């Protein structure tokens, strides 16, 4: 994310990883703080399950608790930044996952938000994005044949307000 700091426009990162932390220079708390302050969307593909399946098929004992924790962290990174996380069971699923990721990137909308209070408290503020019909009820989306379509919203959990400083 540091390398993308000065890049203008939309930015996304595709993480292909087990999610198991083996050599980080940052703690999870430091990473979460940096994610909240960034404008980068993270898409994660957890690749630990195919490996665990192979180990267990050969009679080995996989560390499923470690894998579950790793998946939870990848899921959190994606949700926090408005992205999505996939956890394929088999290697053969990965091309389909990458196809889904590119489809999500091609079908994005940009919304902006300015808080009415204009708070410059430096805190993280949660935001909820919903699809609402003109009458205020839930939005119903139908295809050309009149069949209801499920709609999903992937959005950042919130934003980091700027801190009011001397130079502001």
């Amino acid at each position: 994310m540091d390398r993308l700091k000065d890049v203008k426009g939309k930015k996304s990162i595709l993480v292909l990883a087990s999610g198991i932390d083996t050599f980080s220079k940052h703690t999870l708390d430091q990473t979460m703080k940096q994610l909240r302050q960034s404008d980068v969307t993270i898409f994660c593909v957890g690749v630990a399950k195919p490996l665990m399946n192979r180990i267990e098929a050969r009679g080995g004992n996989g560390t499923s608790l470690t894998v579950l924790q790793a998946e939870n962290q990848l899921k959190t990174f994606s949700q926090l930044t408005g992205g999505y996380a996939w956890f394929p069971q088999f290697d053969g699923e990965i091309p389909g996952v990458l196809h889904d990721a590119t489809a999500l990137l091609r079908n994005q909308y940009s919304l902006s938000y300015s808080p009415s209070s204009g708070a410059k408290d430096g805190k993280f503020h949660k935001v909820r994005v919903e699809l609402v019909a003109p009458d205020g009820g839930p939005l119903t989306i139908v295809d050309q044949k009149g069949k209801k379509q499920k709609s999903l919203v992937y959005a950042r959990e919130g934003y980091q307000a700027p801190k009011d400083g001397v130079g502001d």
Side-chain angles (χ1 to χ4, degrees):
M1 286 183 17
D2 290 337
R3 292 180 188 162
L4 295 174
K5 200 178 295 183
D6 296 326
V7 175
K8 302 292 182 208
K10 285 189 162 226
K11 298 171 272 200
S12 297
I13 296 174
L14 177 64
V15 177
L16 288 143
S18 67
I20 299 170
D21 187 0
T22 56
F23 57 89
S24 286
K25 295 178 184 176
H26 301 283
T27 65
L28 180 59
D29 287 340
Q30 290 169 328
T31 303
M32 298 293 284
K33 183 178 180 181
Q34 191 174 13
L35 290 175
R36 284 188 172 118
Q37 294 173 348
S38 79
D39 60 347
V40 176
T41 304
I42 298 179
F43 296 93
C44 296
V45 180
V47 295
K49 279 186 182 178
L51 176 61
M52 297 307 295
N53 290 341
R54 284 192 294 273
I55 291 170
E56 290 173 3
R58 292 187 177 118
N61 184 11
T63 54
S64 58
L65 186 59
T66 303
V67 171
L68 289 174
Q69 181 181 6
E71 287 180 1
N72 187 44
Q73 288 178 358
L74 291 174
K75 213 178 286 184
T76 301
F77 295 163
S78 294
Q79 288 173 346
L80 192 63
T81 62
Y84 190 79
W86 295 267
F87 301 99
Q89 288 285 330
F90 306 101
D91 290 334
E93 295 176 69
I94 293 177
V97 166
L98 296 176
H99 180 268
D100 291 348
T102 57
L104 281 173
L105 286 166
R106 280 192 303 266
N107 296 296
Q108 288 184 339
Y109 293 92
S110 294
L111 302 173
S112 63
Y113 169 75
S114 295
S116 56
S117 66
K120 292 188 176 184
D121 57 9
K123 294 181 182 176
F124 185 77
H125 297 269
K126 288 195 170 217
V127 175
R128 188 174 70 201
V129 178
E130 297 177 328
L131 295 175
V132 180
D135 65 0
L139 183 66
T140 304
I141 299 173
V142 294
D143 64 10
Q144 294 173 342
K145 296 179 181 178
K147 183 179 176 187
K148 286 186 180 181
Q149 297 293 304
K150 185 176 181 180
S151 60
L152 296 172
V153 175
Y154 299 102
R156 296 185 74 84
E157 288 186 351
Y159 68 96
Q160 188 81 33
K163 196 165 193 144
D164 198 10
V166 177
D168 292 339

